[in-house]
Amino acid sequence: MNKQFKFVRFLFILFMSISFLSGCAFRDIDKRAFVSAIAVDDSGDTKKPYQITIKVVVPSGNIKQEGVKYAFFSEKGVSISEALALIRATIDKDMDFSHTKVIIVSKNLLDRNLGNVTDFFHRRRDIQLVSWIGIAEKRAKDILKMEPKSQSSVTVPLFNFFSRTSVQSPYITPKYLFDFRRQQIETGIDPVLPIIKIDKKEKRFVVHRALVIGDGKFVELNPQQTMVYNILRGNIERFNAQIKEKNGKFKYGVFIHSTSISYKINSENNQRPIIKYKIRHQGILEEASKYTESDLLEEYGKESSKVAKKLILELLTYLQKQNVDPLGFGLRYKATHLHTGDMYKEWRNLYPQAKFTIDMDVNIKSTGTME
């Protein structure tokens, strides 16, 4: 009897507890406006300096026949949150940011602290930190509205550029929002963002340059420097390399399909540090201006090693002269040395004096399928 009484009392307490639970604020899909991308521009108005544009997916009954349709909404505001609040008043649905994949910031906003510009996106709980972030060479709004001629009915081109599941280019430097924030607040590494340009004549996106965001400065990398950075950073493993004659004519091309990169920083008693790179590439001869025998592969490998070493040293010394550190040497230095003081300040004094050495080996395995 005592057990039955306890069981009844338990059920009573359980039902009473359930009665006080509140329901979730669920909204049907047809009452939501799914924001796929956000653009941040300079409005040109000192009182309302930010112009925010959102790209909203319009649901369609048959995607294959009608394609994906979008609507664009834009407002100015003293802050990003105010501009979005004004946009919210113009849409008959609730804005849903859970599917926001791309955030584009105009290049002319870089003179303002980029951390303050992106602060809103880091704090919002409904904006996923796995969104990609990029820099628009001109207006970010134009990037959102651009529909390239290669776009199909069920894909979004900007997603494909950054996701690595479709486009795998050594010139593209995708950056997640969370990774950008982490590198931005961490001392010892400078974040790198892709620069997005529109080719209006060909109606396409061009994403082959990158921007290093240093401490109060911005260093733009050309396509070749961007590719070398991606190789050193480990962003890519497969890429093509072109070897030219002294007169500039094409000699042969190598396709690298396997890469191994490591480095260490040797420094003692605050003396000049030596950053030693060890790089190993394996690939095949992809193209040649003349018939090539397999006994020339070793010679071509040595020549490719020499060319690659020169390009890498040029980038490393260029970044050093610009006093930016996108490869994270300062982070490695802090992690591998005893913390007896301000390690980052110590590295900042040592970095301009650092010497780079590269042990490079390019192993060309075959001439391809042609024998």
Side-chain angles (χ1 to χ4, degrees):
M1 191 68 180
N2 189 27
K3 290 182 178 180
Q4 290 181 351
F5 176 76
K6 288 183 177 179
F7 181 70
V8 172
R9 186 172 64 175
F10 170 75
L11 289 177
F12 176 76
I13 295 173
L14 179 63
F15 286 125
M16 289 296 293
S17 300
I18 292 175
S19 66
F20 287 107
L21 293 177
S22 60
C24 61
F26 178 77
R27 289 184 178 87
D28 293 327
I29 293 179
D30 60 344
K31 294 181 180 178
R32 299 186 188 186
F34 292 99
V35 180
S36 64
I38 303 175
V40 185
D41 285 300
D42 181 10
S43 67
D45 186 350
T46 56
K47 294 182 179 180
K48 294 184 176 182
Y50 295 104
Q51 182 179 26
I52 308 301
T53 305
I54 63 172
K55 187 175 185 178
V56 176
V57 180
V58 178
S60 175
N62 192 331
I63 295 178
K64 292 184 179 180
Q65 291 183 1
E66 300 180 21
V68 179
K69 295 183 179 180
Y70 300 97
F72 299 90
F73 301 90
S74 182
E75 287 288 349
K76 299 178 183 178
V78 68
S79 64
I80 295 175
S81 56
E82 182 188 60
L84 285 174
L86 292 171
I87 293 175
R88 188 175 283 110
T90 64
I91 305 178
D92 61 340
K93 297 177 178 63
D94 182 59
M95 288 193 300
D96 191 316
F97 294 99
S98 60
H99 292 271
T100 303
K101 292 289 187 68
V102 178
I103 297 169
I104 308 298
V105 180
S106 177
K107 193 176 181 181
N108 57 14
L109 283 176
L110 294 178
D111 55 346
R112 309 172 193 178
N113 191 327
L114 193 57
N116 295 336
V117 174
T118 59
D119 183 68
F120 170 83
F121 305 110
H122 298 297
R123 295 180 183 273
R124 290 282 300 197
R125 56 179 180 160
D126 53 350
I127 293 181
Q128 305 296 319
L129 293 180
V130 292
S131 301
W132 291 289
I133 182 170
I135 299 295
E137 187 176 57
K138 294 184 178 179
R139 290 208 314 169
K141 181 180 180 180
D142 296 337
I143 300 292
L144 256 60
K145 291 190 174 184
M146 171 71 174
E147 292 185 4
K149 56 185 178 182
S150 63
Q151 180 176 346
S152 63
S153 61
V154 293
T155 61
V156 179
L158 281 177
F159 298 178
N160 295 335
F161 273 108
F162 299 142
S163 66
R164 296 287 192 195
T165 57
S166 54
V167 180
Q168 296 187 13
S169 169
Y171 299 102
I172 299 176
T173 310
K175 181 69 67 177
Y176 283 115
L177 186 62
F178 78 88
D179 198 21
F180 170 71
R181 175 66 173 177
R182 180 175 58 185
Q183 294 182 5
Q184 193 178 38
I185 63 177
E186 177 66 81
T187 57
I189 186 170
D190 296 321
V192 178
L193 295 179
I195 299 176
I196 307 170
K197 178 184 176 182
I198 294 178
D199 184 348
K200 293 184 178 180
K201 183 178 180 180
E202 297 294 333
K203 203 176 181 183
R204 63 180 181 176
F205 291 118
V206 180
V207 190
H208 57 29
R209 291 176 297 145
L211 189 73
V212 183
I213 302 174
D215 187 12
K217 64 173 62 178
F218 308 98
V219 179
E220 188 172 321
L221 304 181
N222 61 37
Q224 181 173 273
Q225 291 173 328
T226 302
M227 182 183 72
V228 176
Y229 163 78
N230 282 327
I231 295 171
L232 294 178
R233 187 65 180 157
N235 293 336
I236 56 171
E237 288 188 356
R238 299 182 178 185
F239 57 93
N240 306 82
Q242 311 300 321
I243 307 300
K244 299 179 180 179
E245 302 278 5
K246 290 183 179 180
N247 58 9
K249 291 185 177 181
F250 172 77
K251 186 176 182 180
Y252 60 89
V254 180
F255 174 70
I256 303 298
H257 57 69
S258 178
T259 303
S260 174
I261 299 176
S262 63
Y263 74 90
K264 59 182 178 179
I265 302 175
N266 292 340
S267 61
E268 296 180 0
N269 301 323
N270 292 337
Q271 294 181 354
R272 184 184 185 184
I274 300 176
I275 302 176
K276 296 184 176 181
Y277 264 97
K278 183 178 180 180
I279 303 174
R280 298 290 181 266
H281 291 322
Q282 283 191 0
I284 64 171
L285 192 67
E286 187 178 46
E287 186 180 2
S289 59
K290 61 182 180 179
Y291 181 75
T292 306
E293 298 286 350
S294 58
D295 56 356
L296 290 175
L297 293 182
E298 185 177 353
E299 178 186 336
Y300 282 3
K302 291 180 180 179
E303 185 179 15
S304 301
S305 300
K306 185 178 179 180
V307 172
K309 183 177 179 179
K310 180 176 179 292
L311 291 175
I312 292 171
L313 278 175
E314 285 177 354
L315 176 66
L316 292 174
T317 53
Y318 174 74
L319 296 173
Q320 184 185 39
K321 289 179 181 179
Q322 297 295 325
N323 199 23
V324 291
D325 186 8
L327 294 167
F329 296 132
L331 204 61
R332 174 70 65 87
Y333 184 83
K334 292 193 303 178
T336 56
H337 288 72
L338 184 63
H339 285 249
T340 56
D342 191 341
M343 297 299 296
Y344 178 61
K345 184 178 180 181
E346 182 179 305
W347 172 251
R348 292 284 290 179
N349 295 328
L350 292 173
Y351 181 48
Q353 312 168 30
K355 179 182 177 182
F356 299 100
T357 62
I358 299 176
D359 178 11
M360 167 70 71
D361 180 48
V362 178
N363 183 11
I364 303 177
K365 304 286 288 185
S366 72
T367 57
T369 58
M370 181 185 294
E371 296 293 343

